[in-house]
Amino acid sequence: MELRHLRYFVAVAEQGNVSRAARKLFIAQPPLSQQLKQLEDEVGTQLFTRLPRGMQLTAAGESLLEDARVILARAEQAPLRARERERSSQTVLRLGLVPSAMQSLLPGLLQALAQAGCDVQIEAREMISSQQQRALRQGELELGFARPGHREADELELASIDDPYCLAVPASHPLAGGSGMLDLQAAVHQPFVGFTRYQDTDYFDRTVALCAEAGFTPLIRHEAGQLVNVLALVACGLGVAIVPASFAMFHREQIVFRPLRASRQASRLAVLASAQALKRNPMLELVAQLAQSQLQALAAQLTQQGATVSRPRPV
């Protein structure tokens, strides 16, 4: 598989039409169609459904699009990163982050690193949990803040806390006035604001499973790819959203967060690390310890705001 195949694939996926993508790429349509066919043959499955007026990604195509964008971005940055590494003597920490961790954990970690005098160059990357796990195992990350979906021990986990699910509702909503734990069944007829599935398949599937456990399929009327936008839509009164308790730390006056009754669907926040990378560099081991301290501090904040959480668990 060559980079040009991925560039052509992404262009067609984004344009939804081969002829428009060909114009954007400044190539003729027949060679572009041929390149797409070669890519599908190499992947071993159909990536597009051909429609009368365009192209629609299959499930396999959506998965490849996610990876292709990452690969192309990394390829574009590789020469610059190589030159920077040559000029710098700093330890480089490639850090994966689920979006919420950028606000709940990253600021404290950066402050702790500065206070400890760590000469570390952070390269932060927003990545969903499954991408982080794969990148850590492939040596593309050293550390990550992720949301594993199960409770079984993972060799990548250093520590984790419970970050239980809440229902974010507009302050004027009838469900905003109650107290105590909320049964999700109460939201059966409510329009939901969901996280865009292609951006975070893991979280989307967990929230749908949470509703299925409560006996209904959520009416997802609105979607957003970032937590701030999910909360903004809720604040506008457009719907309710299932979010982890830590989201309440980004509190808006127009939103009330109702803790949900216990579920089989786990909601945890964890520090992940590559054991090999930590062994190679003692500085990274110190950074990992500071990251676990930030997780512990977040657990304390969640306890103060009334969420039922556990202390960080060594894994």
Side-chain angles (χ1 to χ4, degrees):
M1 185 182 302
E2 299 183 16
L3 289 178
R4 75 170 185 277
H5 289 129
L6 296 181
R7 291 193 184 95
Y8 294 164
F9 166 71
V10 170
V12 174
E14 291 177 345
Q15 296 297 317
N17 182 281
V18 175
S19 56
R20 285 198 300 268
R23 288 194 295 271
K24 179 180 178 181
L25 294 166
F26 301 104
I27 63 174
Q29 182 173 335
L32 177 56
S33 297
Q34 184 179 12
Q35 295 289 329
L36 288 178
K37 181 63 168 59
Q38 290 177 3
L39 180 60
E40 288 184 322
D41 289 343
E42 184 164 356
V43 174
T45 189
Q46 188 174 345
L47 301 174
F48 291 99
T49 299
R50 275 68 174 175
L51 304 175
R53 293 182 176 273
M55 307 275 278
Q56 181 177 330
L57 286 169
T58 63
E62 290 180 357
S63 176
L64 182 61
L65 179 62
E66 179 182 300
D67 290 332
R69 283 172 169 157
V70 173
I71 291 169
L72 291 173
R74 295 286 291 157
E76 185 176 334
Q77 296 165 4
L80 176 61
R81 286 164 47 82
R83 291 192 293 270
E84 287 182 344
R85 293 280 183 93
E86 180 68 22
R87 293 192 296 264
S88 176
S89 60
Q90 287 181 305
T91 296
V92 175
L93 173 71
R94 296 170 295 180
L95 176 65
L97 297 150
V98 289
S100 61
M102 292 187 179
Q103 299 186 54
S104 62
L105 292 167
L106 182 59
L109 176 60
L110 295 177
Q111 184 178 5
L113 289 171
Q115 291 174 347
C118 295
D119 189 19
V120 176
Q121 178 182 324
I122 298 289
E123 294 184 358
R125 305 174 190 172
E126 179 182 327
M127 304 173 75
I128 64 175
S129 300
S130 58
Q131 289 176 331
Q132 289 187 43
Q133 291 167 327
R134 183 166 61 248
L136 283 162
R137 291 188 172 99
Q138 294 175 349
E140 298 171 2
L141 290 179
E142 283 78 42
L143 198 70
F145 287 120
R147 294 188 179 278
H150 51 75
R151 291 187 173 275
E152 289 77 12
D154 188 302
E155 79 278 7
L156 295 172
E157 287 189 29
L158 298 180
S160 69
I161 63 170
D162 290 329
D163 191 5
Y165 290 113
C166 293
L167 190 70
V169 301
S172 59
H173 196 280
L175 293 177
S179 59
M181 306 293 283
L182 178 70
D183 190 330
L184 188 55
Q185 177 66 32
V188 62
H189 298 301
Q190 300 301 319
F192 275 74
V193 180
F195 283 88
T196 306
R197 189 178 191 278
Y198 78 85
Q199 288 188 309
D200 195 342
T201 304
D202 297 344
Y203 192 83
F204 182 94
D205 291 346
R206 284 180 218 164
T207 54
V208 170
L210 196 68
C211 293
E213 186 179 311
F216 69 96
T217 299
L219 173 60
I220 301 177
R221 187 168 290 167
H222 316 281
E223 292 187 359
Q226 300 294 330
L227 72 93
V228 292
N229 296 329
V230 169
L231 295 182
L233 292 173
V234 173
C236 289
L238 293 179
V240 301
I242 297 172
V243 299
S246 59
F247 279 34
M249 296 174 58
F250 322 119
H251 179 64
R252 293 171 174 261
E253 292 182 358
Q254 307 96 319
I255 300 176
V256 171
F257 295 84
R258 296 289 309 277
L260 295 174
R261 296 192 188 280
S263 164
R264 293 191 300 271
Q265 303 300 319
S267 177
R268 298 186 298 132
L269 191 57
V271 177
L272 309 181
S274 164
Q276 293 182 344
L278 297 183
K279 289 178 181 178
R280 285 196 303 266
N281 194 323
M283 178 66 75
L284 295 181
E285 188 170 357
L286 174 58
V287 175
Q289 292 173 358
L290 294 174
Q292 292 178 74
S293 296
Q294 291 306 308
L295 199 65
Q296 182 176 8
L298 177 60
Q301 288 180 276
L302 291 174
T303 300
Q304 289 175 0
Q305 73 180 25
T308 304
V309 301
S310 68
R311 307 302 296 174
R313 297 185 296 271
V315 179

